[in-house]
Amino acid sequence: MAAHQEKKLAEERKHQNMQNDTKASQGQWGRAWEVDWFSLASILFLLMFAPLIVYYFIMSCDQYQCSLTDPLLDLLTGNKHLSDIWSRTPMLTSRAAGIYSLWVAFQVFLYVSIPDFCHKFLPGYVGGVQEGAVTPAGVVNKYEINGLQAWIITHVLWFANAFCFHFFSPTIIFDNWIPLLWCANILGYAVSTFAMIKGYFFPTNAKDCKFTGNFFYDYMMGIEFNPRIGKWFDFKLFFNGRPGIVAWTLINLSFAAKQQELYGEVTNSMILVNVLQGIYVLDFFWNEAWYLKTIDICHDHFGWYLGWGDCVWLPYLYTLQGLYLVYHPVQLCTAHAVGVLVLGLLGYYIFRMTNHQKDLFRRTNGNCRIWGNRPEYIECSYTSVDGTKYYSKLMTSGFWGWARHFNYTGDLMGSLAYCLACGFEHILPYFYIVYMTILLTHRCIRDEHRCCSKYGKDWKRYTAAVPYRLLPGIF
Ligand code: NDP
């Protein structure tokens, strides 16, 4: 017994030393190694309350016409008990389970089985096998970029069914919205738990794993950097892009179909939400190769935050405007509608151009033109786990000279436009802009913390050259 315990202790010490070695060489580049009490408190809060928040929003629409205050008032005044609300909530059904399983299986099939052909005939589109960024362990992963193709095939089938085959009603998503929520939760928890177990027992790349020793933090923020099954099934790329983002536009179409069924027309606000969010989704897939260089893929580890977030949070909360408009069909006056369209398109333009400028700058290593001039930049360097020194550049002209995250500013303008399309009667559709402001401000701070650790004094020179984060002269 004693010998067994000693052996176990020796193994634990060996494991700890291994982690410390990696930790020492990897420094603070990437996700944190230690958990401060604030991060832990935030994580526990999110783990406990994020699923309840999603349920609360969807239930408010289902039972209270999208009022966020009425359910609370009912509960506080004793008018209703939690059990009353729960008993009126649709449960998981075998139909929803069937639809959801088929949906996920279909997206897996499109992802792993059909190599990209869009890049062969769409000029300017980058698809097929592409390389990701260098990981902290110095690995460069290859990805099969075929999201645009998956989106097109899925939507062609959707329209073919809606207009020709009529196998199912286009309102199918709305009609099963809450039962599907339970399915999405099951997948979200299952995939996050699997990722945690995989990180411990059979990681894809052990050197790119991070353990804080805190179960909740590791579960939430992930252990493995790029978990994969086989050569091509990359968890981050799949769950980030599909099934959630491919579904986003289908969900909106289903909400529009429901409006048509209930009121005999689709309002201009619903059309605006469908069009503006459709542009955003299409942009995502058109630029999927570029997406490999964004924070989600380059820096975040795969845990509950991405796994559950992509399965539940994204499809359910990013589509609240469309859901709201089913319950409140808002017909906007022309001036309001045009204002929303202009704000949405301007926001999109800023978002796209800012991202494009950085992408062009990085791809050409600064040998390009930004607004007709040679880009200005700061030379910087960083070191990976194996001690290799890399050189990089931080641009200080174009939109990147206005603010350090002007792409987020454009994103926020677009987000506000979706909300304004819903009028001013209820606060629920404004959740998106509140959430995006918190998300992108937090992301900004998180990214800057990481870049500061990565580039050190070079980053300080950069922030001195471009002093504002989101709004020039203000923040
Ligand atoms: P960025 O595309 O801004 O990428 C930040 C990274 O770019 C930094 O970590 C750094 O990486 C590099 N970088 C920073 N400054 C410069 C510079 N001046 N010149 C060159 N490179 C620089 O951030 P995200 O990945 O977060 O966002 C990508 C887009 O996705 C944004 O437009 C954002 O709005 C959107 N987004 C949308 C979300 C949604 O839910 N709708 C969620 C998150 C993002 P390096 O280490 O390579 O130097």
Side-chain angles (χ1 to χ4, degrees):
M1 185 72 185
H4 175 72
Q5 265 182 348
E6 219 163 84
K7 195 173 160 214
K8 204 172 146 206
L9 276 173
E11 265 170 18
E12 272 172 11
R13 270 199 300 273
K14 195 175 145 203
H15 184 62
Q16 192 64 46
N17 285 343
M18 227 167 72
Q19 286 184 16
N20 288 341
D21 283 352
T22 317
K23 177 176 168 175
S25 53
Q26 206 167 325
Q28 273 302 315
W29 175 22
R31 149 156 117 43
W33 282 104
E34 274 121 29
V35 192
D36 57 87
W37 68 267
F38 180 74
S39 304
L40 185 60
S42 318
I43 274 160
L44 289 176
F45 176 85
L46 281 174
L47 276 172
M48 281 189 294
F49 291 108
L52 285 180
I53 292 171
V54 178
Y55 170 72
Y56 189 84
F57 274 87
I58 305 305
M59 176 280 296
S60 307
C61 283
D62 186 45
Q63 299 186 24
Y64 288 88
Q65 292 287 310
C66 298
S67 165
L68 283 180
T69 45
D70 285 357
L72 268 182
L73 285 175
D74 257 3
L75 289 172
L76 290 174
T77 54
N79 208 8
K80 288 252 172 67
H81 296 289
L82 276 177
S83 54
D84 300 326
I85 292 180
W86 184 247
S87 65
R88 287 175 56 200
T89 301
M91 290 294 121
L92 177 64
T93 59
S94 53
R95 180 170 162 75
I99 296 169
Y100 197 76
S101 310
L102 208 65
W103 165 250
V104 177
F106 183 55
Q107 290 307 315
V108 172
F109 169 75
L110 292 178
Y111 178 57
V112 293
S113 309
I114 312 187
D116 185 69
F117 58 79
C118 285
H119 70 281
K120 297 195 174 145
F121 65 88
L122 286 175
Y125 171 68
V126 182
V129 178
Q130 299 293 326
E131 285 189 349
V134 187
T135 72
V139 176
V140 177
N141 283 306
K142 283 193 166 37
Y143 296 84
E144 174 69 41
I145 298 297
N146 59 1
L148 182 66
Q149 171 177 285
W151 187 88
I152 292 172
I153 294 174
T154 308
H155 284 71
V156 166
L157 291 177
W158 174 272
F159 281 109
N161 172 69
F163 292 107
C164 303
F165 302 123
H166 309 291
F167 289 142
F168 56 85
S169 162
T171 62
I172 188 169
I173 304 179
F174 177 87
D175 296 337
N176 292 279
W177 199 221
I178 296 185
L180 285 171
L181 173 64
W182 308 132
C183 303
N185 267 288
I186 292 170
L187 180 65
Y189 277 97
V191 77
S192 317
T193 309
F194 176 74
M196 175 103 176
I197 295 169
K198 184 173 172 327
Y200 270 103
F201 296 105
F202 48 103
T204 305
N205 185 332
K207 278 194 172 168
D208 267 326
C209 288
K210 276 194 176 178
F211 301 87
T212 59
N214 184 296
F215 172 82
F216 295 108
Y217 190 88
D218 288 350
Y219 185 67
M220 173 94 172
M221 299 309 288
I223 291 173
E224 270 202 87
F225 192 40
N226 289 306
R228 285 187 168 204
I229 290 180
K231 200 173 164 199
W232 293 112
F233 189 85
D234 184 88
F235 279 56
K236 264 202 280 187
L237 190 65
F238 179 77
F239 282 99
N240 262 316
R242 326 68 174 279
I245 301 189
V246 177
W248 190 346
T249 33
L250 288 188
I251 293 166
N252 279 343
L253 286 170
S254 184
F255 291 160
K258 195 67 193 180
Q259 248 199 3
Q260 177 72 38
E261 183 188 287
L262 290 174
Y263 312 106
E265 62 161 3
V266 178
T267 61
N268 58 2
S269 51
M270 180 67 98
I271 294 172
L272 275 171
V273 167
N274 267 265
V275 168
L276 291 176
Q277 295 190 346
I279 292 174
Y280 192 75
V281 168
L282 253 179
D283 176 276
F284 173 87
F285 286 116
W286 183 268
N287 295 291
E288 199 180 11
W290 153 83
Y291 184 67
L292 298 178
K293 307 282 157 69
T294 64
I295 294 174
D296 285 344
I297 300 284
C298 283
H299 311 307
D300 285 344
H301 288 235
F302 188 84
W304 187 86
Y305 166 73
L306 287 180
W308 181 87
D310 293 331
C311 290
V312 181
W313 188 269
L314 189 153
Y316 276 84
L317 295 188
Y318 285 25
T319 55
L320 275 181
Q321 288 84 26
L323 181 67
Y324 172 84
L325 291 170
V326 174
Y327 293 93
H328 300 270
V330 177
Q331 188 66 31
L332 301 170
C333 69
T334 311
H336 189 152
V338 171
V340 167
L341 185 65
V342 169
L343 179 68
L345 293 179
L346 182 65
Y348 170 71
Y349 173 78
I350 293 175
F351 161 83
R352 172 57 20 233
M353 284 317 291
T354 315
N355 286 326
H356 170 71
Q357 285 180 355
K358 187 186 85 174
D359 185 45
L360 180 68
F361 172 77
R362 280 282 170 93
R363 259 191 297 121
T364 59
N365 196 24
N367 293 313
C368 59
R369 296 218 160 250
I370 302 290
W371 293 342
N373 299 315
R374 306 285 301 170
E376 292 162 24
Y377 53 83
I378 282 174
E379 301 265 9
C380 47
S381 62
Y382 62 94
T383 313
S384 69
V385 182
D386 56 7
T388 314
K389 194 166 182 181
Y390 292 89
Y391 292 91
S392 189
K393 294 183 172 84
L394 293 166
M395 183 163 50
T396 55
S397 60
F399 280 128
W400 293 88
W402 289 17
R404 299 200 291 272
H405 280 283
F406 212 59
N407 49 349
Y408 291 0
T409 312
D411 208 345
L412 289 174
M413 288 165 69
S415 308
L416 181 63
Y418 314 153
C419 304
L420 289 172
C422 298
F424 303 105
E425 208 185 315
H426 279 278
I427 198 162
L428 180 134
Y430 287 83
F431 165 80
Y432 190 66
I433 182 63
V434 175
Y435 164 72
M436 284 297 280
T437 307
I438 297 171
L439 174 89
L440 293 179
T441 312
H442 177 247
R443 201 176 172 93
C444 198
I445 294 165
R446 209 157 58 94
D447 182 49
E448 301 217 337
H449 178 70
R450 190 195 65 82
C451 286
C452 189
S453 318
K454 181 176 175 182
Y455 296 122
K457 62 178 177 4
D458 293 334
W459 182 254
K460 294 211 165 61
R461 286 197 294 132
Y462 170 62
T463 54
V466 186
Y468 295 102
R469 285 176 167 131
L470 291 175
L471 289 174
I474 299 173
F475 174 67

